Every structure is written in C-alpha cells, then in structure tokens.
Amino acid sequence: MQTRTVGLLAKQVWRNTVKNRSTIWLFGVFNLLLLCALLSGYQYMHSQQLLALENSEEVRERWVNNPDKHPHRMAHYGYVAFRQKYPLSFFDFGMDSYVGNVIFLEAHRQNTVNFSAASLSNGLLRLGEISAGMVLQLLVPLLLFFWGFSLVASEREKGTLKIVLIQNVSAVELIAGRALGLFYLSTVVFLPTAIIGGILLGLSDLGLTSIGLYGRFILLLIAYVFYFGLLSWLAVLISAYSSSSRASLIRLIGCWLFFTLMLPKVSQLVGQTLYPAPTKIEFDTAVEEELIQHGDSHNPNDPHFQALKDSLLRAYGVESPQELPFNYSGYVMREGEKLSAETYQRHQENLVGIYQKQQQVVRLTAMLNPYLAIKNLSMAFSGTDYSAFKDFQEQTETYRYTLAQTMNELQIQHISNKVESSADKKAIISRQHWEDLPDFQHQFLSLGQVIRQESISIISLMVWGLGLFLVTNRFAQHLKAF
Amino acid sequence: MLIAENLTKIYGQQTALWQLNLEIKAGEIFALLGQNGAGKTTTIHCLLGFILPTEGAAYINGLEVTKNLTVARKQVAYIPETVMLYPNLTGAENLAFFSSLAGFKYSTNELEAYLTYAGLQAEAHHRRLGGYSKGMRQKVGIAIAVAKQVKALLLDEPTSGLDPKAANEFSSILKNMAEKGTAILMATHDIFRAKEIADRIGIMKEGNLVSIIKASSVTTHALEELYLQMV
C-alpha cells in the first residue's frame, strides 16, 4: 500500500467536503453543541463538587462538635458521606445522574445512596442529557455516515471510479484513502472538544495525581480517535461494496440504528432475563431474615447472644456481665455489628455479582458493537460508570463499619460495666474521642483498575479494527469498478 | 504487449465473450468493430481487470492481469466512452490529481502542455470541469492517458462525443503514441475512423471475434460491406 496515494485520496475527500457550504455549517453546529455540552457539564460538575465539599466539611464539623455522650449514641447519630464527582465526569455523564450522591451511615444499618440528580430534577432529565460523550458516541457517527456513504459508491455511479482504479490505485488504497479523509473530517469536530476538554480538566483538578487523571483523559481521547477511525473505515467499506449510494446510505443508517438503539437494549434485556436481580424489598427482607436467625444484639434474651454471654462468663470465671473487666454491652454491639455486616456483605456481594453478570452480557455484546465498547470506555475513563459507583458504595460500607466498630471499641474501653443506662454520667465519654474517627474521603478508582475492568471494551475495538482490515483485504479483489 | 488468451466471460446463461485470442504488439493500433453487446467493452474490461474472466487470461506486457492487477494497470491507460472526472476541479486540477495518483508530479506548464496536446483550448485549462462539454471532458481524459506515459492504451468508443475536427486531432494523437511504441486497442462503431488509424481491425459478433482484417488491405467502402455482412 502506497501511503502517498492514500494521502492524496484522503486530501481529496477533505477538499471536496469542506468546499461544501453545508459542511461548514455542520462543523459550526456540532462544535457549538459540543462546546455547550462541555461547559454545561463542567459547570454542573463544579457546582456539585463544591456542594459535596461544603457539606462534607459541615458534616465533619458537626460530628467533632458533638457534646460528650455515650459512644453508641454517636454510632446512631451517624455520618453522611458524599460522592465526589470525578474531574472528567463533565465529559461523559454516564450513570452519574441516575445514581445517588449522598448516603447516611450509621450502626447496624446499610442505607441506600440517595439524592441522584434524576430524583431531584424535573422530568426533563428523562428526555436525555447532552454530554460531549453522548454527542461524540451517537451523533458524530451519523455525521460520518452522512459524509461517507457516497465516497466510493457515487464514484462508481458517475464512472470516475474506473479512471481512479486505472491510475495504479488498489482497492485497499482507495478504501484506506477515503477512510482517512473521512477521519480527517471527524477531527474538525473532535479536536476542539479535546482541547477545550483538556483546558477544563486543568481547571478542575482536585489534587489528583496527574498520571491518573491526565492518563485517563489521554486514553479517553485515544479511544475516541480509534472509534472515529473504525467508523470512517466502516462507512467507506460499506460504500465500496454497495451497488449504489442509496443502498450504502440505507445500510449505514441501518448499522447506526442496530448498534446504537437495538443491540444495547436487547443486550440489557438478555442480561436481565438470564440473571434476574431481586427487588429492593426482596433484598432487604432476605438480609433481615438472616439477621433474625443470627440474633439481635439489642435483645438481652436473644439465644445467640445469651450463649455468647455464658461463654464469656465461663471464660472469665465471673457470675454476671457487670463483673467482666470490660464493657459487656460494647462487646455485644461489636459482635452484633460484625455479624450484621458480614450478612449484609454476603447478600450485597451476591447482588453485585448478579449486576456484574448482567453487565458482562452487555460488555460481551461490545464485541459485536463498537458503540457499546466506546460507551463503556468513555464512562469508565470519565468515572461515571457502574464500577465507579459500586466502588463508592463499598468505600462507604467500609467506613460505616469502621464508624460503628470505633464507637463500640470506645464503649468497651471507656464505659464502666456498672452503669445503669446510657444516660448515666458514667456512660458518657469526652467529645475529644470523636476525632478518633477519620473523615470520610472518597477515593477514585486507579487508572490500572479502570483499564482492567474495561479490557473487553478495549479488546473489542481492536478486534473491530483487525476485522475491518481483514475484510478489506479479503474483498479488495472483488471491488466493482462499475 | 496486449494479449487475450481464450478469454471467455459468461454471465449466467449469457455468453458475453467466447474464447477470444488476440495479440496486439507494441506500436500497433487495433480497432474492434461490432454492434452493441458484441463483446467489445467486455474485452476491454477483462484486459483492465475490471471483470474476472470465466475462462482464459488477459496479459499486459507479459503480466497476467488478474494475478498482477496493480502492476499490470500501471502499464496501461484507459479512456472510456464518457470521461467522468471531478466537476468541482478544473481541467488542470483533474489532470494533476490523476497524474499524482499514477505517480507523476507535473508543473503547471507541463499540465497545460498535456492539455493543449490533447486539444483543449488554453482558456479552458483553469475552468471548472462542471462547465465542460462532453468533447472537452474527453480531451482531459486523453491528456490523463497521455500523461501517464504508458505502454498500452485501451479506448472504449473514444471519439463518440467529439466533433470531426477534434476526432481528427485525436486520431493524430493516437498515431503519434503508436509511433512511440504504445500498443492501442480501440473499441468503436466508427468504421471510417477505424480504417483511418488502425493497423488491424477485428469484427466481433455475439462475443466472438469473427474476423481480423489488415486495414491497409481494404477500402473504407469494402470494410463497411464486410462489416455489414458479418454482423
């Protein structure tokens, strides 16, 4: 393949397309749309970041300023954790608007993450948001198909193709050249987005390591470049092997509908059917039932905790819990928390396992669908996919457990075993202990974790690239000149 | 230079070309006469590798076309019945683009010289092709073929859109190219033009090459009689 010939053919596509006035309008409209999407996304992300930061500070301040009290009361006073927006979330909103941002953390209970943007907004959000990611994934392909459907087919219809092919141009060079020209056109839309995105990212750095944040951004851009390259190649390949421009356009629009609307919905449906998930009520009931079987740490007559008490009394050779060298109630709370957390964790892991199997079905269909592959990659690099949310949930549960057990330890160590009730003056500890619990810090997934989780999507794009290359080479001999 | 060896093309039940054997040497002009559907264009398309023969083989300068498509095409130029180029480019820009694809980079003066040689008026060189007549486009097609500096030239009804003066100029160009050693195969309906410029004339009927006549051995009138008898 001669790169000079490919370059000439690509340059011709560029020149012919940009000479058209409607192309200039389209460039303008798309760049404006992307600019609006980026700026509004950034503005929303920034305001949410500030809100989370301010509220987190207030929650911390209120926690440490609590008066002297019984530590178990503090365990029930609880903590509120806020989900931080990843600095790249302005690029692709992903699932961000539909998952919760705030969770109340307390002893014994695993609450849900609430206050998603969707639940707080009016119904308009359901009509869909416009993010740069959405425009690049859904609308730019349409633009490329619109520019590319006739690139070879119309030359065949007009008769120019015969003269082109006779000038030492092979079918592979022709397809590669036209595809490269089409790809050049996509850069007019993509390049400003990448530059503005980079500038906004610089403004929004929340002290994250540059390697992680900018590494994600660079990989995100590379993924999109590859995606546009694939689509350009696909458009020209279909144009080359269609009998007419009309047939080519119909096929490309069909591909777009199949890839962006049909296949994602079908794959979700298949995933949900193959791996049905319990409802929220079913999940909570199952956890509750198992906890009842294990025992209630607040009930002094519970058989499980009665047995625990008996074993402790035997081990320490005493007659009553009051004679134990530590606070018995705190000890029971610690054991109860451990049991309930383990039970919840097991059920949660099962549930997450089901969700992941459903996701896996969708991920596997990315092998058939480059749109799904780029969608998954874009969300993952922007920190707005399900994995990012799941990771936040896991961090909050770990923090909740630490909170409850820290308070239980304080009770075990500092509260006398002979107090009548938690209102007793001896049952109160100094507020200075509240600072023993560190503040909740939402940590984002590392670049390596994101790449590992999205390996199928990365492989999918590569398989598509290889597949298109092989198909082009295989059928190059059969390209019809007329 | 140009060889057809048992060249056959069958579409379903229809035989477009049947066991054509033909050799056109360097410097020779061979004209193919025949009615529409006689197999003239199919012969040219097989030689250019645009269609795969059902049987037999086509050779350009000793290279089997289907097996060495790109290299074989490098040595041949083609002028179709209607030359379709890029209407948004000028004649000179079209010539520059197609020459670049063929690996030739010409200066503006050289491009203009080729266009003038092909008979295109100087004032039209830098006008957009969209405003050209069929004859003018044909001349740009000739310029593209000449600028490719090839050893073989295939033409499919090349003079059909040209006025008599332009057709005459075109004949001179072909003769000139043949004198320089180019093998030329021309499919045409124009008996007069075939007799005037060809060294040999083949008459085709229903996919078969039914007769080969040495042009110098017959008069135009006799050729016409012969043609009418055969088809």
Side-chain angles (χ1 to χ4, degrees):
Chain A
M1 189 160 71
Q2 291 188 45
T3 49
R4 192 189 56 81
T5 306
V6 172
L8 274 169
L9 291 163
K11 201 170 142 190
Q12 198 212 14
V13 173
W14 169 267
R15 283 178 58 184
N16 283 353
T17 314
V18 296
K19 266 185 184 176
N20 195 323
R21 191 170 288 180
S22 67
T23 306
I24 305 299
W25 274 102
L26 280 170
F27 280 154
V29 168
F30 266 76
N31 275 306
L32 193 65
L33 188 65
L34 281 162
L35 183 69
C36 289
L38 283 173
L39 292 179
S40 65
Y42 178 78
Q43 193 271 335
Y44 176 73
M45 179 199 76
H46 191 61
S47 66
Q48 289 295 305
Q49 280 175 335
L50 286 179
L51 202 66
L53 207 64
E54 284 168 12
N55 286 313
S56 298
E57 282 171 3
E58 193 182 330
V59 166
R60 182 68 189 169
E61 203 178 310
R62 287 190 181 196
W63 171 265
V64 295
N65 287 332
N66 258 279
D68 300 347
K69 61 167 82 167
H70 192 286
H72 197 65
R73 286 194 170 184
M74 279 303 277
H76 279 293
Y77 173 82
Y79 213 90
V80 181
F82 294 86
R83 190 165 62 87
Q84 282 287 342
K85 298 276 179 195
Y86 191 70
L88 251 175
S89 62
F90 70 88
F91 198 92
D92 189 334
F93 303 158
M95 297 173 71
D96 236 18
S97 307
Y98 301 93
V99 292
N101 295 309
V102 185
I103 182 165
F104 175 57
L105 307 169
E106 59 178 324
H108 319 307
R109 286 183 62 83
Q110 284 83 6
N111 296 313
T112 49
V113 188
N114 291 317
F115 305 116
S116 67
S119 69
L120 296 174
S121 74
N122 58 27
L124 286 175
L125 190 70
R126 291 179 192 282
L127 297 174
E129 305 157 298
I130 293 183
S131 71
M134 191 272 264
V135 175
L136 295 174
Q137 290 157 27
L138 268 179
L139 301 182
V140 172
L142 264 185
L143 200 60
L144 288 178
F145 290 172
F146 171 68
W147 281 326
F149 78 94
S150 64
L151 280 179
V152 180
S154 81
E155 292 223 39
R156 184 184 296 115
E157 287 169 321
K158 288 174 188 165
T160 329
L161 191 57
K162 282 191 206 174
I163 313 217
V164 170
L165 290 175
I166 218 68
Q167 302 299 111
N168 309 343
V169 176
S170 70
V172 175
E173 286 167 347
L174 176 77
I175 292 168
R178 296 304 191 213
L180 185 64
L182 194 55
F183 173 73
Y184 286 165
L185 292 170
S186 74
T187 60
V188 177
V189 178
F190 183 60
L191 212 57
T193 308
I195 293 167
I196 295 166
I199 293 168
L200 292 176
L201 191 63
L203 295 174
S204 67
D205 196 334
L206 285 178
L208 295 169
T209 59
S210 296
I211 295 172
L213 182 59
Y214 288 98
R216 276 205 200 193
F217 185 57
I218 289 165
L219 288 176
L220 179 74
L221 298 184
I222 291 171
Y224 273 107
V225 164
F226 203 76
Y227 178 59
F228 295 140
L230 283 183
L231 293 179
S232 302
W233 196 284
L234 181 71
V236 174
L237 197 62
I238 287 180
S239 178
Y241 294 101
S242 295
S243 55
S244 65
S245 300
R246 190 170 166 271
S248 168
L249 183 63
I250 290 169
R251 281 178 186 166
L252 285 168
I253 297 292
C255 281
W256 185 83
L257 287 172
F258 181 72
F259 288 147
T260 61
L261 294 176
M262 285 168 64
L263 204 53
K265 296 283 176 203
V266 169
S267 61
Q268 274 175 6
L269 197 67
V270 169
Q272 285 166 2
T273 310
L274 287 177
Y275 305 105
T279 61
K280 175 85 175 90
I281 294 170
E282 285 170 339
F283 177 81
D284 288 345
T285 309
V287 174
E288 198 64 37
E289 279 174 358
E290 198 175 326
L291 282 176
I292 290 167
Q293 281 176 5
H294 285 317
D296 181 0
S297 59
H298 283 73
N299 179 4
N301 299 318
D302 183 275
H304 174 83
F305 289 96
Q306 187 65 46
L308 181 72
K309 186 174 79 177
D310 293 344
S311 70
L312 272 174
L313 295 179
R314 268 199 306 278
Y316 281 90
V318 291
E319 294 295 318
S320 70
Q322 283 75 21
E323 293 172 56
L324 285 168
F326 52 85
N327 184 285
Y328 172 68
S329 298
Y331 183 84
V332 169
M333 291 297 166
R334 189 176 70 184
E335 288 306 303
E337 191 63 52
K338 198 175 156 191
L339 270 177
S340 65
E342 278 172 3
T343 307
Y344 173 82
Q345 205 57 37
R346 200 167 48 254
H347 282 266
Q348 181 67 12
E349 275 170 16
N350 282 341
L351 184 68
V352 168
I354 292 169
Y355 287 151
Q356 281 178 332
K357 281 177 185 168
Q358 291 179 352
Q359 288 274 313
Q360 201 65 6
V361 172
V362 177
R363 277 208 176 99
L364 282 173
T365 54
M367 282 289 179
L368 306 170
N369 188 353
Y371 163 72
L372 269 180
I374 191 68
K375 192 180 176 197
N376 290 340
L377 279 174
S378 182
M379 285 196 297
F381 288 134
S382 301
T384 57
D385 63 342
Y386 177 69
S387 298
F389 176 70
K390 182 172 78 75
D391 185 57
F392 169 73
Q393 266 188 319
E394 285 168 1
Q395 287 179 41
T396 57
E397 174 52 21
T398 305
Y399 186 80
R400 187 202 67 77
Y401 186 73
T402 308
L403 179 150
Q405 295 301 51
T406 305
M407 294 303 115
N408 288 334
E409 287 299 331
L410 287 172
Q411 183 175 346
I412 292 167
Q413 287 168 23
H414 299 288
I415 305 292
S416 164
N417 219 359
K418 296 182 176 64
V419 291
E420 295 295 320
S421 73
S422 60
D424 191 328
K425 277 192 174 177
K426 288 179 185 170
I428 291 170
I429 63 168
S430 165
R431 53 181 283 193
Q432 286 173 344
H433 290 290
W434 310 153
E435 289 205 36
D436 291 355
L437 179 76
D439 193 11
F440 174 76
Q441 296 288 340
H442 180 193
Q443 301 292 322
F444 299 112
L445 288 169
S446 71
L447 181 60
Q449 285 172 304
V450 172
I451 291 172
R452 271 195 298 281
Q453 279 171 359
E454 286 306 327
S455 54
I456 290 180
S457 303
I458 295 168
I459 292 168
S460 160
L461 287 182
M462 288 176 174
V463 166
W464 264 87
L466 184 69
L468 287 177
F469 179 74
L470 292 176
V471 168
T472 305
N473 273 295
R474 172 74 182 78
F475 294 103
Q477 292 288 327
H478 305 292
L479 180 76
K480 288 181 180 167
F482 55 92
Chain B
M1 178 58 65
L2 290 170
I3 297 172
E5 201 174 81
N6 290 325
L7 207 57
T8 301
K9 183 67 190 176
I10 300 169
Y11 294 104
Q13 302 290 316
Q14 196 182 346
T15 303
L17 192 63
W18 181 251
Q19 299 202 331
L20 176 77
N21 286 292
L22 182 66
E23 183 175 357
I24 302 160
K25 293 193 164 59
E28 185 185 15
I29 301 178
F30 192 99
L32 274 179
L33 288 175
Q35 288 182 310
N36 290 334
K40 305 186 296 292
T41 303
T42 305
T43 304
I44 289 176
H45 283 171
C46 280
L47 280 161
L48 291 170
F50 287 158
I51 51 177
L52 291 173
T54 311
E55 272 179 48
Y59 298 87
I60 294 173
N61 200 21
L63 295 164
E64 190 177 340
V65 176
T66 49
K67 290 178 182 165
N68 307 278
L69 194 61
T70 313
V71 190
R73 279 179 178 169
K74 203 170 183 174
Q75 303 182 40
V76 69
Y78 168 62
I79 302 174
E81 182 180 356
T82 308
V83 174
M84 295 305 296
L85 303 169
Y86 298 111
N88 55 339
L89 301 182
T90 67
E93 284 170 344
N94 266 291
L95 176 59
F97 174 70
F98 284 104
S99 299
S100 301
L101 285 182
F104 297 94
K105 187 146 181 68
Y106 294 118
S107 66
T108 309
N109 286 342
E110 286 170 321
L111 293 171
E112 287 173 348
Y114 276 117
L115 289 169
T116 305
Y117 178 74
L120 191 73
Q121 305 94 312
E123 58 85 22
H125 291 179
H126 299 287
R127 270 202 285 128
R128 278 160 58 102
L129 204 92
Y132 280 20
S133 66
K134 185 184 175 190
M136 290 164 83
R137 286 204 308 271
Q138 211 74 359
K139 286 170 184 172
V140 179
I142 295 164
I144 291 169
V146 174
K148 199 179 167 189
Q149 301 174 14
V150 288
K151 293 177 178 173
L153 177 62
L154 301 175
L155 309 105
D156 195 358
E157 312 279 2
T159 54
S160 67
L162 298 182
D163 58 57
K165 184 173 174 284
N168 200 43
E169 286 168 0
F170 179 67
S171 299
S172 302
I173 292 168
L174 290 189
K175 281 179 184 169
N176 194 275
M177 288 177 79
E179 278 167 18
K180 287 177 183 167
T182 308
I184 298 171
L185 173 65
M186 177 174 78
T188 183
H189 290 295
D190 189 341
I191 295 171
F192 170 76
R193 193 68 54 197
K195 162 74 183 94
E196 187 205 344
I197 60 171
D199 297 304
R200 286 189 297 158
I201 299 163
I203 298 174
M204 294 194 79
K205 185 186 178 186
E206 294 169 356
N208 294 287
L209 183 62
V210 290
S211 176
I212 296 180
I213 305 146
K214 202 170 176 188
S216 57
S217 67
V218 287
T219 61
T220 309
H221 182 69
L223 178 64
E224 190 177 18
E225 287 289 316
L226 197 64
Y227 174 75
L228 290 172
Q229 277 171 23
M230 288 187 170
V231 301

